[in-house]
Amino acid sequence: MRICRVQPDVPALDKAFDYSIPDALAPAVRVGTIVRVSLHGRRVRGWVIALDVAASGDPSKLLPIAKVVGSGPPAELIDLATWASWRWAGPVVSFLRAASPPNAVRDLAPPASLATGSPAVRVLAWPPAADRRELVAQRIAPRGSTLIVSADGARFGSLLRHLEREGHRVLVIRADCSAADKTRAWSRAREGNCVVLGGRSAVWTPVPDLAAVIVLDEGDEALQEESAPTWNGRDVAAERARRNGAELTLVGVVPSLEAEALGGRAERPDRSTERHGWPGVEVVDLREAPPGRGLLTDELARAVRRSVDAGERAVCMLNRKGRARLLVCAACGSPATCERCGAAVAEDEERRLACAHCGMTRPPVCVSCHGARFKALRPGVRKLRDGLAAMFPKVEVAHVDAEVGEVPEALVLVGTEAVLHRVQGPIGLVAFLDLDQELLAPRYRASEQALALVARGARRTGTNGRLLLQTRLPEHAVVQTALRADPSILPELERRQRRELGYPPFGGLAELVGVAPAVDAAVEQLRASGIDVLGPAPRGERLQALARSDDLPTLLDALADAGPPARALGRLRIAVDPPRV
């Protein structure tokens, strides 16, 4: 009797079980095969993760595999998923799903994986608006398969056409592809000798002859999964390249410290390429703006007017939704708060004061002095849209945020970060109305994230467009990096600060959020293992804690021991390398 070990597709049950293999199914069962098995009285999907194992009990009492569904990830990706489960303190099921086709694939035996040589890592700094197509083409392996992972799906089309003209067989795997298209590309990739182009999930494509991996915009948050486990496509790509002996190329406007930790200091193109790879950059010092103008400065008005007169689209970005996020009474200066719960209220589309916390609304009247006039200290995109519409009465001005369905065809758009992702076609001007909101965000990666946002704006305008950065911190490293087109400015500052704090990549960091019994149990176990823990502290109805260690593997081993028993007590989310802490 042959016995296999199956990992059920049940995230809450991060445990594998032994099953017998019926003789009729034995030829189709291999490591990675997707099967159906009985578990606690119901049929569930699962992956074969080991063959010909020794049963822990009486083999005759083992349940048989009920059905073979089709092909799943090859053995090398099963091992990679196991590593990723440890690396991001999450259930292995999450990674096996990412490595599997959406639909059933006929279970043909894939060719054995081939190591191509000794791995090499190259880190490249590349300006945001410069053409990357030839750069990528030069890094594609002459033999075997190449994975190209990109955070910017909007540029896939141009790169795809360029690679196909160069004679490469390109398979595209991206989030907006249909399940059928993803399955077809997944199945074809098993034949090897191809180029796979996609988002972070492309790192799990089952090419058997991986020779090169290219990660574009390697520090972009889009390469990191938001929900736990918070795995990063760059780090999975690096580990897979190391295991396969493949060349790894990490490309970023300003390569992250994590990229430098993998491959050393970044290589840079010549200064002419760097300078011409940025649009024109104008910095507006908000400290010098006339009183009462707020974010609608004279420089902004002139820049928008130039763009409109040229028939080009102008995009103004501010990460504050609604009309105003903080209102104060014009008469007495009291903040506008909710009568019921005391939270801050904001102006809605009907000019009423609405509480996002409890849902209560009321007319715009101050509860302290009954005044009816309010000043917006933190105007939102809809308030600023109204202001710009008043400045340009003959031009259509619209707002764009996550709640807007179809992007308006207006020549001037005011929006949150979503506007840079959703607007199609050329843009002549991208104006960051209050860059300080990003620069001063209470997150240890705030500077990197702010620069990534500025770089995305630069990429959308191209080398012939313009960037307008409004800030009270014109000497900030992010502002100077964009103004001088110099990728060396920010890393020096970030490297010093991160090393002093012991934050990644100079240490391990994890965020724990969940119900009190689970968080308390995990914190107690982590402290017993010698891990520094800050908290727990209340976060709404849950608890939150931060765990830090000077050595990442030590933290991961401690989380592997503390996580399962703590999760047995209730919901617990563990985010390793949290991007927004």
Side-chain angles (χ1 to χ4, degrees):
M1 176 189 299
R2 297 187 65 191
I3 299 172
C4 66
R5 188 153 294 152
V6 175
Q7 176 64 57
D9 189 2
V10 183
L13 186 65
D14 197 20
K15 181 181 178 182
F17 298 89
D18 293 342
Y19 290 86
S20 63
I21 305 175
D23 292 340
L25 300 180
V29 176
R30 283 176 288 276
V31 172
T33 300
I34 300 174
V35 297
R36 290 275 176 186
V37 295
S38 295
L39 182 68
H40 302 311
R42 63 190 181 101
R43 288 270 186 97
V44 299
R45 184 176 82 151
W47 293 268
V48 176
I49 61 173
L51 279 177
D52 299 321
V53 299
S56 56
D58 185 354
S60 63
K61 295 182 179 180
L62 293 178
L63 295 175
I65 289 176
K67 181 183 179 181
V68 171
V69 176
S71 288
E76 64 148 324
L77 292 186
I78 297 288
D79 292 340
L80 187 65
T82 302
W83 170 84
S85 174
W86 169 79
R87 173 62 178 81
W88 284 281
V92 70
V93 166
S94 300
F95 303 100
L96 294 176
R97 287 176 178 175
S100 300
N103 300 331
V105 173
R106 184 182 176 189
D107 192 40
L108 298 175
S113 297
L114 303 173
T116 58
S118 56
V121 182
R122 187 178 181 187
V123 182
L124 301 177
W126 195 254
D131 194 339
R132 300 186 297 190
R133 293 175 297 180
E134 194 57 39
L135 173 72
V136 172
Q138 293 173 356
R139 303 301 301 168
I140 290 177
R143 292 183 299 276
S145 294
T146 298
L147 299 182
I148 304 174
V149 182
S150 175
D152 189 0
R155 304 180 80 184
F156 279 6
S158 174
L159 180 57
L160 171 63
R161 291 188 294 272
H162 180 78
L163 294 178
E164 288 179 335
R165 285 196 299 268
E166 293 284 321
H168 297 289
R169 175 175 173 243
V170 185
L171 305 175
V172 178
I173 299 180
R174 50 186 292 176
D176 58 358
C177 290
S178 67
D181 287 341
K182 289 180 182 177
T183 301
R184 192 176 300 112
W186 187 95
S187 184
R188 289 177 179 173
R190 297 186 303 167
E191 301 171 10
N193 194 29
C194 63
V195 175
V196 178
L197 173 62
R200 63 173 175 266
S201 61
V203 299
W204 298 100
T205 308
V207 293
D209 54 349
L210 183 63
V213 182
I214 305 167
V215 183
L216 303 175
D217 302 316
E218 55 78 25
D220 197 300
E221 280 186 283
L223 290 180
Q224 184 162 14
E225 177 64 49
E226 293 183 6
S227 58
T230 52
W231 62 277
N232 192 302
R234 173 199 59 219
D235 298 331
V236 176
E239 178 66 15
R240 188 174 180 189
R242 185 190 67 79
R243 292 175 177 224
N244 284 267
E247 291 187 352
L248 173 66
T249 304
L250 303 174
V251 183
V253 174
V254 174
S256 66
L257 298 184
E258 286 79 4
E260 289 189 352
L262 291 168
R265 297 292 177 91
E267 302 174 32
R268 297 168 56 180
D270 59 79
R271 283 299 291 159
S272 176
T273 300
E274 286 185 334
R275 288 190 178 278
H276 288 91
W278 281 85
V281 179
E282 180 181 358
V283 178
V284 179
D285 190 343
L286 290 175
R287 297 172 300 181
E288 299 176 357
R293 295 303 301 272
L295 301 179
L296 301 180
T297 62
D298 293 336
E299 292 87 351
L300 173 66
R302 287 194 292 268
V304 172
R305 172 57 65 189
R306 284 196 300 267
S307 183
V308 168
D309 290 345
E312 298 174 334
R313 214 167 201 180
V315 171
C316 303
M317 202 224 81
L318 178 71
N319 269 333
R320 285 200 291 268
K321 296 190 296 182
R323 300 192 62 81
R325 307 305 293 177
L326 180 61
L327 297 170
V328 295
C329 177
C332 69
S334 299
T337 56
C338 178
E339 293 176 280
R340 179 187 295 167
C341 68
V345 295
E347 222 179 7
D348 64 15
E349 283 298 290
E350 299 179 10
R351 303 299 177 92
R352 299 175 303 176
L353 300 183
C355 178
H357 187 262
C358 69
M360 184 178 180
T361 61
R362 75 165 193 268
V365 177
C366 176
V367 296
S368 299
C369 72
H370 305 294
R373 293 180 60 247
F374 290 87
K375 295 187 295 185
L377 295 190
R378 295 178 187 167
V381 294
R382 300 191 185 193
K383 187 77 171 181
L384 290 168
R385 174 204 59 190
D386 295 346
L388 280 169
M391 295 170 67
F392 302 97
K394 296 182 180 181
V395 179
E396 184 182 359
V397 181
H399 80 276
V400 178
D401 57 28
E403 298 172 0
V404 174
E406 188 174 347
V407 176
E409 292 294 331
L411 203 56
V412 179
L413 295 174
V414 185
T416 59
E417 184 178 343
V419 72
L420 296 177
H421 298 268
R422 298 178 57 194
V423 174
Q424 302 297 318
I427 298 173
L429 169 71
V430 172
F432 291 87
L433 301 183
D434 186 7
L435 189 59
D436 296 347
Q437 180 180 339
E438 312 301 328
L439 299 178
L440 301 177
R443 304 185 293 265
Y444 79 95
R445 294 184 188 270
S447 292
E448 276 188 357
Q449 292 162 352
L451 184 58
L453 200 57
V454 171
R456 185 173 292 275
R459 192 170 296 128
R460 292 307 315 272
T461 67
T463 55
N464 296 323
R466 292 194 64 79
L467 279 183
L468 184 75
L469 310 180
Q470 296 196 153
T471 175
R472 293 174 179 84
L473 302 168
E475 298 303 320
H476 194 284
V478 170
V479 178
Q480 291 300 310
T481 294
L483 190 61
R484 301 182 190 179
D486 187 347
S488 68
I489 297 174
L490 183 61
E492 292 301 326
L493 176 63
E494 286 288 293
R495 190 179 298 108
R496 184 171 61 253
Q497 292 178 345
R498 298 263 197 100
R499 184 178 282 114
E500 289 175 356
L501 295 171
Y503 282 173
F506 305 106
L509 188 68
E511 179 188 42
L512 291 77
V513 179
V515 298
V519 173
D520 288 337
V523 166
E524 182 179 357
Q525 177 66 33
L526 290 172
R527 283 177 173 153
S529 301
I531 302 298
D532 296 330
V533 181
L534 180 64
R539 179 174 169 179
E541 298 179 353
R542 300 174 295 173
L543 292 183
Q544 176 187 26
L546 282 178
R548 197 202 67 79
S549 173
D550 292 335
D551 179 64
L552 177 60
T554 298
L555 174 62
L556 298 178
D557 287 340
L559 289 172
D561 293 335
R567 287 189 172 111
L569 301 176
R571 292 185 63 85
L572 175 65
R573 178 183 187 272
I574 301 177
V576 179
D577 299 336
R580 295 262 163 178
V581 168

